[in-house]
Amino acid sequence: MPRRLSILIPVYDEAATAAILLKKVIDLPLPDIEKEIIVIESNSKDGSRALVQQMEAQGLFKVIYEDRPQGKGHAVKAGLSRATGEWVLIQDADLEYDVADYPALLAPLQKGATVFVMGSRHLGLRDWRYRRTGAGRWLGPIIDLGAWVYTQFFNLLYGTSLTDPCTMYKVFRRDCLTGITLHSNGFELDWEIVAKLVRKGFKPLEVPVTYRSRGFNEGKKVRIWRDGWRALVAIFHFRFSSL
């Protein structure tokens, strides 16, 4: 009997990539896995909602329509509330990550080797940089250095040795979240999920994934100052807060 995988795809102002990404996810063959694709559309202003509505008519995915954008974390939590799969995978609506990595991400779960997998943008690289495109000659290395510092801080606080805890690609057994309440509405949810699953005893297995960073002029929504501080606070706060 196929195992069900819930793929959560938040969409907000991604008209340039959302339809392409959705088609890639829909068309990707995953033997012995039933895909439950859940799109969370947050009332985009660039035509993304109309694109999602057109594709929804094909009956190949479910859609949650939010009346206003409340952050990626809020959208992911909305998707989790509707997910019915044994496993959950989080997928952004841009094309920074390659859906061709799904089989590698799912293999450890299918084999029973772990219940929590993360796609690392660092594994397999020669150095600590993974933003080689999009972010700019100077900004890219600065962001990468900041991510490296945050990663070391996380590892120190949580007793882990992860290479990329803020990666988008998180795949886990849905019942791992039993007893956990997720609070973050922004990008800091990436840190909260890892923090709370690790604290509950689920140590993630990292596998290398392909990554092509995009620039702010291409629609990247993370803001260094705003989201950087929120991430730092989240790393510390969720180490000591209740699950």
Side-chain angles (χ1 to χ4, degrees):
M1 183 175 180
R3 317 288 281 273
R4 178 175 292 183
L5 170 69
S6 296
I7 304 170
L8 311 183
I9 308 178
V11 176
Y12 178 65
D13 284 354
E14 298 289 0
T17 58
I20 299 171
L21 182 281
L22 286 169
K23 189 175 188 308
K24 285 177 177 288
V25 174
I26 292 166
D27 292 345
L28 181 71
L30 292 175
D32 301 319
I33 290 179
E34 174 192 351
K35 290 180 290 189
E36 177 187 54
I37 304 170
I38 302 176
V39 177
I40 309 93
E41 207 292 320
S42 300
N43 205 4
S44 301
K45 307 304 180 187
D46 70 342
S48 295
R49 174 161 288 204
L51 290 173
V52 169
Q53 289 172 330
Q54 291 171 11
M55 296 186 71
E56 181 189 12
Q58 301 173 30
L60 298 175
F61 54 77
K62 305 175 184 178
V63 185
I64 299 172
Y65 291 106
E66 296 190 313
D67 59 1
R68 60 189 175 91
Q70 300 177 68
K72 176 187 172 180
H74 187 276
V76 169
K77 290 187 295 181
L80 284 169
S81 71
R82 293 275 297 276
T84 63
E86 177 182 354
W87 301 321
V88 173
L89 184 151
I90 300 171
Q91 171 71 61
D92 287 347
D94 56 38
L95 299 173
E96 288 191 319
Y97 293 77
D98 191 343
V99 303
D101 287 321
Y102 280 21
L105 291 164
L106 292 165
L109 284 85
Q110 291 176 295
K111 296 174 182 176
T114 186
V115 296
F116 183 18
V117 177
M118 297 203 307
S120 173
R121 295 166 289 182
H122 283 287
L123 291 178
L125 300 183
R126 297 187 304 273
D127 55 31
W128 51 273
R129 286 197 59 195
Y130 57 86
R131 287 179 176 84
R132 301 286 181 178
T133 59
R137 181 178 180 184
W138 301 110
L139 187 57
I142 290 172
I143 297 174
D144 284 351
L145 179 60
W148 182 86
V149 171
Y150 279 33
T151 296
Q152 305 317 306
F153 181 48
F154 184 95
N155 285 333
L156 179 65
L157 277 183
Y158 292 84
T160 54
S161 56
L162 300 175
T163 64
D164 193 10
C166 64
T167 178
M168 175 203 72
Y169 271 150
K170 296 174 175 64
V171 193
F172 50 88
R173 204 171 63 198
R174 187 166 57 92
D175 62 8
C176 290
L177 292 176
T178 301
I180 289 177
T181 301
L182 297 173
H183 296 281
S184 302
N185 286 328
F187 292 104
E188 67 273 15
L189 182 75
D190 281 325
W191 295 98
E192 182 180 0
I193 289 174
V194 182
K196 291 188 172 180
L197 288 182
V198 166
R199 285 181 55 198
K200 200 175 176 185
F202 302 118
K203 298 298 176 70
L205 173 67
E206 292 186 297
V207 300
V209 295
T210 303
Y211 180 72
R212 179 198 173 278
S213 60
R214 62 175 178 167
F216 296 104
N217 62 331
E218 298 175 279
K220 194 170 187 65
K221 296 175 179 62
V222 174
R223 294 298 177 262
I224 298 173
W225 182 255
R226 178 196 66 191
D227 298 306
W229 277 111
R230 288 178 180 175
L232 187 61
V233 170
I235 293 170
F236 185 82
H237 173 70
F238 293 122
R239 176 63 182 86
F240 304 103
S241 68
S242 62
L243 291 176

